[in-house]
Every structure is written in structure tokens, then in C-alpha cells.
């Protein structure tokens, strides 16, 4: 049924996040000292003005209440922990993923498992309804079009009644997407505001100046692009791993699932050059978020964790999910003949 076909796509969309903001870095003054693009006297405002002169919708987004909230969250984590900015970004991502998206992902799996367990009953109803409609069509002389419309109308009603009975309408599985995607966007815009000259200051230094020395390893300047492309490529690899895990989850995907898999593979690859055009602070957040998404998806395969979350058992569940996943991955990508 369509509800079952869509469940896989929902999980894929929730695991992979999309978006792009090109960099508009503030110029570096002569002498090499990095300075905020806005004067420090404007410390009362947290959000940056629209970068690069972009107006309209982006300026409204960059100065919106959710973005200001994301900025305050990042600043609060940085102040409370005393960590360098790379550590604050990582810690904030872990906290958001663990406290918000993980419970919602478990709820999504709970709903989709209940929907999957309804499929035998739905197929049985469809078979009996088809027979009843065929009998009525012969008795009343219905055309094929009328018979089909009658079948579809009654089938939708009966399936909806099943969803109400078991409290598992597939739309409830989309809650994760509607919360995770906006949260990802707001955090990305907040970091972009900071990296391109946000007017917030701490201890006499703008956040942009703090980010300029708040990196680590090969990306010491979080306001600069990653010239090594290590962060962007790592992001693309992790996103591809997420897509392939879902692709290996079941055999015999529908046409829609196949097209969706190819689409998400393409997006994962395209995110590499996109990530190479934004400040490292944003790419670091994207990378941490994707890594947590990968870990979250693997955790939700664990039979013990699923039992802890009271996710119903389904016909496709395995007692050795990680062994099965490795075997499928090895068979598809390593031992291909």
C-alpha cells in the first residue's frame, strides 16, 4: 500500500538534511587582524544583517526569533562549558540530536512498525472488498470506472478506520521531518550570522573574532572555508552511508523508493561542493549532525533499543541486524562479481 511505500522515504528524508548558504565573509583589515563586520557598539542585537546585501526572505529569516534562539543556545553552551567554539558546536549538536530528534525518530519507527503490521489485514480487506465490488458491479451494471472509484473510496475509508483504531496514521511519522529540518536550518543560519559578522560580543570580542580562533586541527579558523575539503568530503561520505543503509534495508524496492534513493545519492554528492563554499563552522555542524543521524539510525536497528522504546516487532525485524547489514554491504560493494 502507499502508506507502506512512503514509510521508507520518510525515514530517508529525515536522516539526510539539505540546504545551502554561500559565504559572504567580512574583509580582513590590513595588518591581518580579523574584525567584526559590524561595530561592537551594536552588541544589543544578536542576529546579523542579511549577508551580501541579500534582502527579503533571507533577512527576515536571519533576524527571526527562532534564529535568535539558536544563537542564544550556542552562546549559552559556549559560556557555560568554557569549551572552544568547535567543542561548543559539537556539544550543542549532540544535545539537540539526543534530546529532540532521537525520541522523535523512535516515535517514527514506532508508527511505521504499527503501519507495517497492519499490511496483512489491509491486503485481506482489499481482497474481500474487490470481490464485493465485482459482485455489485455485475448486479447493477456498473462500468469499470464506476467500480474502480467505488473500490478506492471504500478502501480509503476502511484503511483510515484501521489507522484510527490502532492510532498509527502514517502522517504522524512525518513529525520528525517537520521539527528536525527547521531546527537544522535555524542552527545553520545562526552559525552563518556569527561567521559573517554577527554583532554579538563577549569579553570585548565579537563572536566572529572568537570563531576565527575557535577551530582545531586543519580548520583553526571557523569563519573560513575548508581549503582541504576534508570536512565537505566527510559530510558527503557520511550522508551516502546513511542513504546506502536504507537502500540495503530491504530487497525489492518499489519504483518510488528506487527513484528516491538515486535522488538522495545525488544530493549527498552535491552537498560536497556546497559545503566547500560555506564557513567551516557551518560544515562542522552539518558533519556532526549527519554523524549523529548515522549513529541514531544504527542505534534504532538494535533489538534491545527497539524493545526499550516499545517499538512493535515486525516481520522484517532481525535478531542480528548489524551482522545482516554488514553482509549486505559486503555483498553489494565488495564481493560483486
Amino acid at each position: 500500500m502507499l502508506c507502506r511505500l512512503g514509510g521508507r522515504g520518510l525515514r530517508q528524508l529525515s536522516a539526510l538534511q539539505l540546504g545551502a548558504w554561500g559565504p559572504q565573509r567580512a574583509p580582513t583589515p590590513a595588518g591581518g587582524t580579523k574584525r567584526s563586520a559590524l561595530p561592537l557598539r551594536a552588541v544589543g542585537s544578536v542576529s546579523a544583517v542579511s549577508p551580501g546585501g541579500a534582502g527579503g526572505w533571507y533577512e527576515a529569516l536571519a533576524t527571526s526569533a527562532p534564529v535568535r534562539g539558536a544563537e542564544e543556545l550556542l552562546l549559552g553552551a559556549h559560556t557555560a562549558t568554557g569549551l572552544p567554539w568547535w567543542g561548543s558546536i559539537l556539544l550543542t549538536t549532540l544535545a539537540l540530536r539526543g534530546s529532540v530528534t532521537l525520541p522523535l525518530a523512535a516515535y517514527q519507527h514506532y508508527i511505521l512498525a504499527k503501519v507495517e503490521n497492519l499490511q496483512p489485514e489491509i491486503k485481506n480487506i482489499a481482497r474481500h472488498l474487490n470481490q464485493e465490488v465485482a459482485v455489485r458491479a455485475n448486479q447493477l451494471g456498473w462500468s469499470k470506472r464506476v467500480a474502480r472509484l467505488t473500490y478506492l473510496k471504500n478502501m480509503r475509508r476502511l484503511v483510515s478506520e484501521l489507522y484510527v483504531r490502532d492510532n498509527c496514521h502514517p502522517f504522524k511519522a512525518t513529525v520528525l521531518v517537520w521539527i528536525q529540518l527547521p531546527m537544522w536550518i535555524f542552527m545553520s543560519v545562526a552559525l552563518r550570522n556569527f561567521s559573517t559578522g554577527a554583532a554579538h560580543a563577549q569579553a570585548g570580542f565579537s563572536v566572529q573574532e572568537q570563531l576565527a580562533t575557535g577551530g582545531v586541527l586543519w580548520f583553526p579558523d571557523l569563519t573560513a572555508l575548508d581549503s582541504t575539503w576534508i570536512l565537505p568530503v566527510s559530510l558527503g561520505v557520511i550522508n551516502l552511508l546513511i542513504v546506502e543503509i536504507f537502500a540495503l534495508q530491504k530487497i525489492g524496492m518499489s519504483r518510488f523508493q528506487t527513484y528516491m534513493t538515486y535522488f538522495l545519492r545525488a544530493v549527498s554528492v552535491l552537498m560536497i561542493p556546497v559545503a566547500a563554499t560555506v564557513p567551516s563552522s557551518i560544515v562542522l555542524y552539518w558533519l556532526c549532525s549527519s554523524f549523529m543521524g548515522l549513529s541514531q539510525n544504527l542505534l534504532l536497528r538494535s533489538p534491545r533499543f527497539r524493545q526499550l522504546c516499545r517499538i512493535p516487532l515486525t516481520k522484517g525485524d532481525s535478531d542480528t541486524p548489524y551482522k545482516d547489514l554488514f553482509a549486505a554491504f559486503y555483498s553489494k560493494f565488495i564481493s560483486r562479481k
Side-chain angles (χ1 to χ4, degrees):
M1 303 305 295
L2 289 176
C3 57
R4 189 178 183 184
L5 298 181
R8 187 189 186 91
L10 287 173
R11 287 193 290 257
Q12 288 177 315
L13 286 173
S14 66
L16 186 62
Q17 296 131 0
L18 317 176
W21 285 272
Q24 300 290 334
R25 293 192 58 203
T28 302
T33 303
K34 298 182 183 295
R35 308 182 72 87
S36 173
L38 297 177
L40 294 182
R41 58 184 170 78
V43 297
S45 172
V46 177
S47 298
V49 296
S50 175
W57 68 269
Y58 185 83
E59 183 174 2
L61 174 63
T63 57
S64 64
V67 171
R68 289 199 299 269
E71 292 173 352
E72 293 294 348
L73 177 64
L74 287 164
L75 289 168
H78 179 64
T79 303
T81 62
L83 293 171
W85 267 106
W86 69 267
S88 299
I89 293 172
L90 190 150
L91 180 64
T92 304
T93 307
L94 292 178
L96 289 175
R97 276 288 192 167
S99 62
V100 179
T101 62
L102 180 57
L104 289 176
Y107 179 70
Q108 181 188 66
H109 280 249
Y110 171 81
I111 294 295
L112 294 176
K114 295 183 75 172
V115 170
E116 184 174 347
N117 288 336
L118 280 177
Q119 297 309 307
E121 189 172 354
I122 291 175
K123 289 180 179 179
N124 186 49
I125 291 174
R127 184 173 62 254
H128 287 290
L129 181 61
N130 190 44
Q131 293 174 355
E132 292 179 9
V133 170
V135 171
R136 295 291 292 175
N138 289 332
Q139 291 176 347
L140 301 176
W142 290 347
S143 65
K144 290 184 178 181
R145 180 176 178 277
V146 172
R148 178 172 177 76
L149 291 175
T150 302
Y151 168 81
L152 292 175
K153 179 181 178 181
N154 284 277
M155 191 64 199
R156 282 194 295 267
R157 176 179 57 82
L158 293 171
V159 171
S160 295
E161 290 175 357
L162 289 179
Y163 291 154
V164 171
R165 185 196 71 186
D166 288 6
N167 193 23
C168 63
H169 196 285
F171 183 77
K172 293 182 177 182
T174 67
V175 173
L176 175 62
V177 176
W178 299 120
I179 293 180
Q180 177 176 298
L181 185 58
M183 182 175 69
W184 185 82
I185 293 174
F186 297 146
M187 289 289 292
S188 298
V189 175
L191 286 169
R192 194 181 195 284
N193 285 346
F194 287 165
S195 300
T196 57
H200 201 288
Q202 288 181 322
F205 296 94
S206 71
V207 176
Q208 183 188 31
E209 291 173 329
Q210 295 176 30
L211 286 173
T213 57
V216 69
L217 301 176
W218 69 91
F219 53 101
D221 184 355
L222 290 175
T223 67
L225 310 182
D226 182 8
S227 59
T228 67
W229 282 56
I230 294 177
L231 290 177
V233 171
S234 300
L235 173 68
V237 169
I238 291 179
N239 285 338
L240 280 173
L241 280 174
I242 294 173
V243 176
E244 294 307 324
I245 285 176
F246 283 113
L248 294 173
Q249 195 168 5
K250 292 182 181 179
I251 300 175
M253 293 191 297
S254 67
R255 180 177 299 181
F256 171 78
Q257 291 170 345
T258 301
Y259 289 157
M260 179 62 69
T261 299
Y262 281 121
F263 171 74
L264 292 176
R265 284 170 179 161
V267 170
S268 298
V269 174
L270 288 174
M271 281 295 290
I272 296 176
V274 169
T277 64
V278 300
S280 297
S281 60
I282 300 176
V283 189
L284 178 62
Y285 167 66
W286 289 354
L287 179 62
C288 293
S289 182
S290 291
F291 180 79
M292 284 297 296
L294 176 63
S295 303
Q296 174 180 291
N297 292 327
L298 291 174
L299 178 63
L300 285 167
R301 283 174 165 265
S302 168
R304 288 186 179 181
F305 187 77
R306 292 175 70 87
Q307 184 178 9
L308 178 65
C309 296
R310 298 184 178 181
I311 300 174
L313 290 173
T314 65
K315 185 178 180 180
D317 286 347
S318 170
D319 293 332
T320 57
Y322 303 118
K323 181 179 179 181
D324 296 343
L325 179 62
F326 178 79
F329 189 88
Y330 182 86
S331 176
K332 182 175 181 179
F333 297 104
I334 300 178
S335 64
R336 297 173 63 179
K337 296 182 179 180

